[in-house]
Amino acid sequence: MFFTAVGIILLNVTIYLIMSVIYRRYRIPVLMPALTATAIVVSLLLYFHISYDTYMIGGQWINRLLGPAVVSLAYPLYKQRNVLVENFPAIVGGAVTGLLVGMFSGLLLAAGLGFSKLYVLSVLPKSITTPVAIQISSSLGGDSSLTSVFVMIAGFTGAIGGPYIIKLFRIKSEVGIGIGMGTASHALGTAKALEYGERSVSMSSVAMTVCAIVGSIIGPLVAWIMYQ
């Protein structure tokens, strides 16, 4: 079991490093390592018929780094604390607006297509970062696994499409870019925001946090209104 865990960890790290090199060379959003490495790992698991439980023997150790990775965002945030104070109304307003649009658009689409209650409750917290979204989904009676998939889709969509939207509308503000990326695509958006500067990644982490806090309050309220 020890060698299985080490092998899976090394496989993930190696694939990610290779895809990072490719991404740094070509800088095409669709080649971002988080997306391409995930696709390759999933393809390998399917091809070699490796079960999820077997993969998580090593994958669980990578998964446990998610918490410290999120906490580490506090450092660039601290360095940009003056910018945070100066732009606090814009950051909170933009994040909450983006959260509401993302939450209700997914909710209305799922309900409009006739999805069952399980799917609707699972898609409800898709606009919130994964650890918080999973907890909200579970408490509401949704499927945490489905919620993780929906959050990943939202994250990848924002991280890939965001740069094109930024370029299309000629957005130059690092604060605006950070708020947009953090609100739309959570941790993946924050990682992408790092490419636009330290200020962008700081504002993105704040927006992601605001969405998590506000979403954890609004999500259960919306679910209660719909299914009381």
Side-chain angles (χ1 to χ4, degrees), residues 66-224:
L66 179 61
V70 174
V71 173
S72 68
L73 294 173
Y75 178 68
L77 176 60
Y78 173 76
K79 293 181 66 177
Q80 298 291 331
R81 59 191 181 279
N82 294 330
V83 179
L84 171 61
V85 173
E86 295 171 2
N87 297 276
F88 189 75
I91 294 171
V92 174
V96 172
T97 300
L99 168 68
L100 293 176
V101 171
M103 180 177 289
F104 283 100
S105 61
L107 185 65
L108 293 175
L109 179 61
L113 293 175
F115 285 8
S116 66
K117 179 181 178 181
L118 175 66
Y119 282 90
V120 173
L121 293 177
S122 298
V123 79
L124 179 62
K126 73 171 182 62
S127 297
I128 307 171
T129 187
T130 304
V132 179
I134 289 176
Q135 294 299 320
I136 294 175
S137 177
S138 298
S139 65
L140 295 179
D143 188 312
S144 58
S145 298
L146 285 175
T147 299
S148 298
V149 173
F150 291 135
V151 173
M152 286 183 63
I153 292 174
F156 282 130
T157 302
I160 294 173
Y164 294 108
I165 295 176
I166 291 171
K167 185 176 181 179
L168 177 64
F169 290 95
R170 300 179 181 179
I171 301 173
K172 304 297 182 182
S173 169
E174 289 188 12
V175 174
I177 292 173
I179 295 173
M181 296 301 290
T183 301
S185 45
H186 332 119
L188 287 171
T190 301
K192 186 67 178 179
L194 184 61
E195 299 178 16
Y196 293 92
E198 189 175 84
R199 182 172 297 182
S200 290
V201 74
S202 299
M203 298 305 103
S204 182
S205 63
V206 172
M208 182 174 65
T209 303
V210 170
C211 287
I213 296 173
V214 177
S216 63
I217 298 173
I218 294 178
L221 179 61
V222 172
W224 180 80

Side-chain angles (χ1 to χ4, degrees), residues 40-75:
I40 292 174
V41 170
V42 170
S43 298
L44 290 174
L45 294 180
L46 291 174
Y47 182 80
F48 291 104
H49 304 288
I50 300 174
S51 68
Y52 176 78
D53 291 335
T54 300
Y55 172 77
M56 286 306 293
I57 292 175
Q60 63 176 323
W61 299 104
I62 299 175
N63 190 52
R64 290 180 181 179
L65 295 176
L66 179 61
V70 174
V71 173
S72 68
L73 294 173
Y75 178 68

